[in-house]
Amino acid sequence: MSANCLMCSLGYRLGMCFILSLWVCWDCIWGLVKDGNSTIGGRPAFPVFRAGAGLLLVHWFWGLSVFVWTRHRINYIYLFDFNPRIVDTPITIYNDCVDETLVFLILMLLYYKAGVNDMPQLLPDGFYPLFLVLYIIKELIFPWRKRAPLWKSIWNVVTSPVVLPTFFLTYVADVFTSMVKVFQDISWTLCFVISGDFLVPENSEYTQPRQWQHTVWYKNVVIPLICLFPLWIRLVQCLRKYADTRQRLPHLANAFKYALSQTVTLFGAFHPLYLLSQQNHEDDGQHATTYNGGVNLFQMFWVGAFVTSSLYSWFWDVYMDWGLFRPKHSFLGPRLMYPKRVYYYCVIFADLFLRFMWVLTLIPPQSGASFEVPNYLAAVTMSLELLRRTLWGFFRLEHEHRHNTSGYRSVEFVPLHFSTGHVHKYEKKERAGWSVLAEVAAVTTAVLSVSVMSVIVAHRTSQVEKGEL
């Protein structure tokens, strides 16, 4: 009876979320058509709501992942080394997501209504995004009994490679690489709140709020670091895993994947002129890196790095992370746990397209690059990348359940879901020899050298093309 009441309550609140979503969409579209008012996407505090929407999607997709793994007997509790006593069921996760979505939609609707003067100005417009920020902080901290393991895992991920990377820590770090846009919006939100811009009325005569987003420290330091840091975490995790296991494949090959993505990010951050713009066509004598016929050297290099990084990441997803592309198994894998083969083929082709979209998200916003994702599409690309990472997680855990792919477990056997009586007893790790440590140091030095040279050369070329040198 209690389960039926829980499902009834969940359905009722889902209906409320659906109605509120329609209300927000209708007000935005009707206000634009009738009065010419800008939609909420054009409002100053929209990045705050976009950051909240990104975190909400992560939570919803986590509930979906738990449901799929549970439905198909993939023992994520065992693979992630979770404490079964504090693991939430999919229904519990969905209930939390629905409550959070209701608060999010109500605050968004109030913010929009206050901006177009459809409600009394009881509070400054900026207080509604501030309330959302405070609510998100509360949800990320309480209840502490359940949130403490999450924050401990995040700390262990951030302090890589000091902490031995487990399967769950590498999974979290991979999710972080898909949350670059979310982290950018979170940094924008922090600056918006700390600077006090939320107190400035949107229709006031104060015409220069949010100047910090155009400063050098924000555009050329904070945002590029946010784009690079998740990739760097995965890179050093791969190097730490190689130092522990002495296996060049897959760990060094995986590290190269993230190093290549870092190169694409660095050129997007420090050389936004790699594609020929209309201004360059109008300038005379400014093309120091242009061959005959108008082919730009950095255009060729960046496009080549972009395509190579996308295809390499896609192949790694399918072949290494999912264990597919095996010719003797119809280009899939052995002992599949999902019921229909068409699921695998569809996700393989979808991942190819979404991988290219993911690399585009690594280009910092407001860089001036021709491949930069427009601001009005940022929410779409963010959502697509989080969806891709969720689909990736479905098949990544299936492959890890079937095979001990990267040596994270001391035993090959994985019990079916909820048969988790096994106590882990890992053998003591053998210390890596000096030759392995020297090789890790050499790879790290090479990656850092390429990164520094990319920044220096890109910055110098940008100055040459602008006529500053």
Side-chain angles (χ1 to χ4, degrees), residues 260-271:
L260 189 59
S261 299
Q262 286 185 16
T263 303
V264 175
T265 304
L266 287 169
F267 269 80
F270 296 99
H271 190 266

Side-chain angles (χ1 to χ4, degrees), residues 52-64:
L55 295 174
L56 264 179
L57 280 177
V58 172
H59 202 178
W60 274 105
F61 285 148
W62 172 251
L64 178 62

Side-chain angles (χ1 to χ4, degrees), residues 95-141:
N95 272 283
D96 293 339
C97 291
V98 168
D99 293 338
E100 294 162 1
T101 305
L102 283 173
V103 175
F104 173 81
L105 290 174
I106 290 172
L107 289 175
M108 178 181 283
L109 187 62
L110 291 174
Y111 175 65
Y112 176 79
K113 290 288 189 181
V116 297
N117 298 319
D118 281 352
M119 59 177 288
Q121 292 287 338
L122 302 177
L123 295 171
D125 298 347
F127 272 63
Y128 298 108
L130 176 64
F131 292 154
L132 178 63
V133 172
L134 297 177
Y135 178 75
I136 291 174
I137 293 174
K138 190 270 292 184
E139 290 296 310
L140 290 175
I141 296 177

